[in-house]
């Protein structure tokens, strides 16, 4: 392990409370810093799984508040711009505010991951998860 660096992070209070519950569930040997390091490593490992030139198919699941500024139109814009990689999308109105979208993607691994990151990066997206599998083809 390299030298430890401190940084500060701003998170909503309720999210921090949930994170502290997770830290507690992982036992007395783990503190916030250790659990955060584990989560960062998990995220990096799952990203490095496949070859960037390999074709993958996957689903990107998002939860967002459709009232959040121009979120919906930004999401639509991104999806239109990448229509060749987006096979299908399903939109579910969860309640008065929240929407769930499941987007099916297909394309070169590096491009699909970048696209998923830019969708997840749209301000107002509360939660998201990309789940992929390889087709065995190279593009
Ligand atoms: Ni909706």
């Amino acid at each position: 392990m390299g030298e430890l660096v401190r940084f500060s992070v701003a998170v909503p209070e309720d999210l921090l409370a949930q994170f502290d519950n997770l830290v507690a569930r992982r036992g007395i040997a783990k503190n916030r810093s250790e659990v955060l390091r584990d989560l960062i490593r998990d995220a990096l490992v799952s990203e490095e799984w496949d070859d960037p030139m390999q074709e993958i198919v996957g689903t990107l699941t998002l939860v967002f508040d459709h009232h959040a500024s121009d979120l919906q139109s930004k999401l639509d814009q991104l999806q239109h711009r990448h229509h060749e990689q987006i096979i299908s999308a399903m939109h579910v109105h969860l309640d008065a505010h929240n929407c769930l979208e499941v987007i099916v993607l297909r394309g070169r691994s590096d491009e699909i991951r970048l696209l998923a990151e830019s969708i997840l990066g749209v301000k107002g997206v509360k939660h998201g998860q990309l789940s992929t599998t390889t087709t065995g083809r190279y593009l």
Side-chain angles (χ1 to χ4, degrees):
M1 186 156 54
E3 196 181 329
L4 293 175
V5 179
R6 288 185 181 277
F7 67 103
S8 64
V9 180
V11 289
E13 231 177 348
D14 56 338
L15 186 60
L16 183 59
Q18 290 175 48
F19 179 64
D20 283 339
N21 284 335
L22 173 69
V23 174
R25 286 199 300 277
R26 295 213 172 167
I28 49 166
K30 293 274 176 173
N31 58 33
R32 275 184 181 164
S33 293
E34 282 160 345
V35 173
L36 186 61
R37 287 198 285 269
D38 291 347
L39 294 177
I40 293 171
R41 281 189 210 103
D42 286 350
L44 294 174
V45 165
S46 64
E47 201 168 70
E48 284 169 2
W49 251 20
D50 45 45
D51 187 313
M53 303 295 278
Q54 210 165 22
E55 184 187 56
I56 59 172
V57 287
T59 58
L60 180 64
T61 305
L62 310 172
V63 175
F64 57 90
D65 182 341
H66 76 274
H67 295 301
S69 62
D70 55 348
L71 174 85
Q72 185 72 67
S73 80
K74 277 186 184 158
L75 289 176
D76 286 344
Q77 249 178 41
L78 267 170
Q79 293 191 48
H80 279 281
R81 202 181 305 149
H82 296 277
H83 64 273
E84 285 170 347
Q85 292 159 318
I86 293 176
I87 299 169
S88 180
M90 178 176 67
H91 185 104
V92 179
H93 310 299
L94 287 180
D95 56 34
H97 304 285
N98 293 297
C99 303
L100 173 114
E101 232 168 73
V102 181
I103 301 169
V104 182
L105 306 135
R106 179 178 195 151
R108 228 174 70 178
S109 173
D110 56 347
E111 294 172 359
I112 295 302
R113 290 187 187 284
L114 199 64
L115 174 56
E117 295 296 341
S118 53
I119 293 172
L120 292 174
V122 174
K123 195 173 180 194
V125 174
K126 291 178 179 174
H127 175 77
Q129 180 91 50
L130 176 67
S131 166
T132 65
T133 187
T134 56
T135 63
R137 292 176 61 207
Y138 281 84
L139 300 174

